[in-house]
């Protein structure tokens, strides 16, 4: 699997290259600035991009904006964004097209190699990988009773939290120590309560996460 990596700190960039190569990823390019990232994504057409939000020259959200521009040019391009801090707006922008193949992790997560590599695989496969701290922060802004999330039971909110992290039904069932069938039922209830109808064009799990993020505005 070919990866374009963008990180301006040499030591972290080098460490990520070594970590990904050790898990059989091919590094198509490892760059340190926004302009380099833009060129690499356009010319190399990687299977997945792992991108620091803040890159030179602006050191603001250059990496995120480069990744979003690349996704508009190549819809569905898998992008995993790394950030030093929780920025809810960044997560919302990544998920905005509802197609999946996106992730948002705090940089601290890369020190857990298994967790980080799993997130890269999930994003590359078209899933989502949202940082637990992003989700937890949103939970503190619990939906009011008259909002869509207010219709969910505590267990359904728990399932949605894990769904937002990009976990499969099987993984959620394992973590909550219930059957996969029970999780499928909760998932179906969540989609119904959030008015997410079956569609060939949209990923309902991503749309459910979007609804979740919208409630935290």
């Amino acid at each position: 699997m070919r990866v374009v990596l963008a990180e301006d700190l040499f030591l972290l960039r080098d460490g990520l290259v070594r970590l990904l190569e050790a898990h059989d990823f091919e590094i198509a390019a490892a760059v340190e600035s926004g302009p380099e990232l833009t060129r690499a994504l356009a010319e190399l057409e990687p299977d997945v991009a792992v991108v620091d939000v803040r890159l030179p020259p602006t050191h603001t959200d250059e990496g995120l904006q480069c990744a979003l521009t690349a996704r508009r040019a190549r819809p569905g391009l898998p992008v995993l964004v790394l950030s030093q801090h929780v920025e809810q707006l960044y997560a919302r922008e990544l998920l905005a097209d509802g197609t999946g193949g996106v992730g948002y992790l705090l940089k601290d997560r890369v020190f857990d190699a298994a967790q980080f590599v799993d997130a890269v695989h999930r994003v590359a496969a078209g899933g989502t990988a949202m940082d637990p701290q992003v989700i937890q922060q949103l939970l503190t802004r619990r939906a009011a009773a008259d909002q869509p999330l207010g219709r969910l039971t505590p267990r359904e909110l728990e399932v949605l939290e894990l769904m937002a992290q990009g976990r499969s039904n099987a993984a959620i069932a394992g973590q909550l120590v219930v059957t996969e069938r029970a999780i499928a039922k909760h998932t179906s209830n969540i989609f119904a309560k959030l008015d997410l109808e079956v569609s060939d064009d949209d990923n309902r799990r991503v749309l459910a996460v979007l609804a979740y993020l919208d409630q935290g505005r």
Side-chain angles (χ1 to χ4, degrees):
M1 186 178 298
R2 299 172 67 249
V3 181
V4 162
L5 170 67
E7 167 57 55
D8 61 322
L9 297 177
F10 171 77
L11 288 178
L12 182 54
R13 185 172 68 249
D14 186 59
L16 289 172
V17 166
R18 292 169 185 266
L19 174 62
L20 290 168
E21 287 182 336
H23 288 80
D24 299 325
F25 290 93
E26 176 188 345
I27 304 301
V31 302
E32 59 181 306
S33 72
E36 289 177 299
L37 174 60
T38 296
R39 284 195 296 273
L41 292 177
E43 296 172 2
L44 301 176
E45 297 188 347
D47 298 307
V48 59
V50 179
V51 177
D52 183 9
V53 166
R54 300 177 189 274
L55 289 175
T58 66
H59 289 287
T60 54
D61 61 353
E62 183 110 3
L64 174 70
Q65 296 308 325
C66 289
L68 292 174
T69 298
R71 270 178 72 90
R72 285 191 285 273
R74 182 184 158 194
L77 167 68
V79 174
L80 175 61
V81 164
L82 303 178
S83 177
Q84 197 71 38
H85 308 286
V86 174
E87 294 284 355
Q88 183 186 330
L89 179 60
Y90 293 166
R92 178 67 176 78
E93 284 190 69
L94 277 171
L95 291 162
D97 62 16
T99 58
V102 293
Y104 182 103
L105 290 184
L106 295 182
K107 285 189 174 180
D108 288 348
R109 306 295 174 196
V110 305
F111 297 110
D112 184 329
Q115 185 180 49
F116 173 66
V117 169
D118 176 62
V120 177
H121 277 297
R122 275 188 281 138
V123 169
T128 58
M130 305 304 292
D131 195 283
Q133 282 195 30
V134 175
I135 305 305
Q136 192 59 45
Q137 198 169 95
L138 296 176
L139 273 178
T140 64
R141 305 175 184 180
R142 186 63 60 85
D146 61 344
Q147 293 178 315
L149 290 186
R151 304 172 195 161
L152 304 187
T153 65
R155 177 60 102 181
E156 288 165 354
L157 281 170
E158 198 171 12
V159 171
L160 180 56
E161 178 184 355
L162 292 168
M163 191 190 302
Q165 292 175 24
R167 300 295 173 184
S168 66
N169 281 3
I172 295 172
Q175 185 160 340
L176 298 182
V177 197
V178 297
T179 65
E180 191 171 344
R181 184 176 179 182
I183 297 302
K185 184 176 180 181
H186 286 311
T187 301
S188 178
N189 289 341
I190 291 168
F191 292 155
K193 291 180 180 180
L194 297 181
D195 299 321
L196 300 175
E197 298 180 355
V198 176
S199 168
D200 292 333
D201 299 322
D202 298 311
N203 184 322
R204 288 198 295 173
R205 296 176 82 90
V206 173
L207 292 177
V209 174
L210 269 173
Y212 198 23
L213 295 175
D214 283 342
Q215 296 299 300
R217 282 179 170 176

